[in-house]
Each structure stands twice: as C-alpha cells, then as structure tokens.
Amino acid sequence: MTSLRPEQAVALVLKFYEQTRVEGCALDEDGDMLLGQWGIYDFTGQEWFHFDLTRQFILGDSEDDEDINQLSLTLFFDPIPDLRAIQADNKWCASLDDLTEFENFIKDSAAYQVITSLKPAKIEMNFDSI
C-alpha cells in the first residue's frame, strides 16, 4: 500500500489521537503520547528516509507494572538529495492541549514540506511492546 499520502497520514494519526482514548492510559501522566520523527536510517540494509508517527500507550498503575506499547505508521522515501539535506528531528506530544503545537511542528518542518510532493516507496504500520 503506497497510496497513502503524507498529508493523509498526518491527518489520520492526529484525528485518531484526538478522538480515541485508550482505556487504562493516564493521558495527564504521559500515558498516551504521540511522537513525530524523521531522518535517514539504514535499519534493514537499505537506506531510507523515514517519516514516522508513533502513538505510545503506557498501561499499568506503577513504574513496576507498566506495559509500554507503540503503534507506528512509517512512510519510507528514497533518500533523494532534498531529503538528505534535512536533519533528523523528533517531537513528542504529551497531551491534547499540545496537539496544535505538535501539528504545526510537523507541518512546518522541512521534512513535511519535501515529502508532500513525493509518493512513499513503501508504508508500514507496526505495533510493538517495549
């Protein structure tokens, strides 16, 4: 599936965070956060520009009893010169109150400005426990 455009991916992830609460996560205690991150990485033997939006859920009521899960949507792009010129970066969104600032950070970034004119080479969605 490579028909999902970057603008659609961002809109879907932000809407999901805004409208869907996860039972057992304390939103006001960093139990449900978003992470936007990008950069060129070679995790699999092939170099890609990763544009990743991750929702992190922390379940449990104490540090000794925490279950940390991450749902990530990653768009992969060929590392063309315009993307190579972009410094890797990231930002956390810790609450609904921070969502507008987070969205502005993403949309104002050089990464977003470049990738909106590109089609992802591949797209992955992963759910991991860490």
Side-chain angles (χ1 to χ4, degrees), residues 67-82:
D67 185 14
I68 301 173
N69 300 285
Q70 293 184 332
L71 178 62
S72 297
L73 176 60
T74 308
L75 285 67
F76 297 85
F77 299 88
D78 291 318
I80 62 173
D82 285 348

Side-chain angles (χ1 to χ4, degrees), residues 16-32:
F16 178 56
Y17 183 72
E18 182 178 36
Q19 295 183 354
T20 305
R21 300 283 49 89
V22 176
E23 189 174 321
C25 291
L27 185 60
D28 58 347
E29 297 176 16
D30 296 339
D32 186 357

Side-chain angles (χ1 to χ4, degrees), residues 2-122:
T2 58
S3 61
L4 184 68
R5 304 294 301 178
E7 305 91 325
Q8 295 168 310
V10 170
L12 288 169
V13 169
L14 295 177
K15 185 175 182 179
F16 178 56
Y17 183 72
E18 182 178 36
Q19 295 183 354
T20 305
R21 300 283 49 89
V22 176
E23 189 174 321
C25 291
L27 185 60
D28 58 347
E29 297 176 16
D30 296 339
D32 186 357
M33 300 189 343
L34 284 179
L35 172 63
Q37 56 190 345
W38 52 81
I40 294 179
Y41 304 104
D42 179 8
F43 297 133
T44 62
Q46 182 172 358
E47 198 173 60
W48 293 103
F49 183 88
H50 295 226
F51 183 82
D52 177 82
L53 299 164
T54 294
R55 186 159 178 189
Q56 179 171 277
F57 312 97
I58 301 176
L59 301 168
D61 42 9
S62 72
E63 284 188 27
D64 297 332
D65 187 32
E66 287 183 345
D67 185 14
I68 301 173
N69 300 285
Q70 293 184 332
L71 178 62
S72 297
L73 176 60
T74 308
L75 285 67
F76 297 85
F77 299 88
D78 291 318
I80 62 173
D82 285 348
L83 292 175
R84 287 189 180 281
I86 297 170
Q87 183 175 356
D89 205 352
N90 69 78
K91 183 173 182 70
W92 283 96
C93 176
S95 72
L96 291 171
D97 292 337
D98 298 337
L99 194 56
T100 299
E101 179 185 337
F102 179 79
E103 179 178 9
N104 291 338
F105 173 80
I106 297 293
K107 290 183 175 179
D108 291 343
S109 71
Y112 186 81
Q113 298 304 312
V114 172
I115 66 170
T116 56
S117 66
L118 302 173
K119 181 179 178 185
K122 67 178 186 169

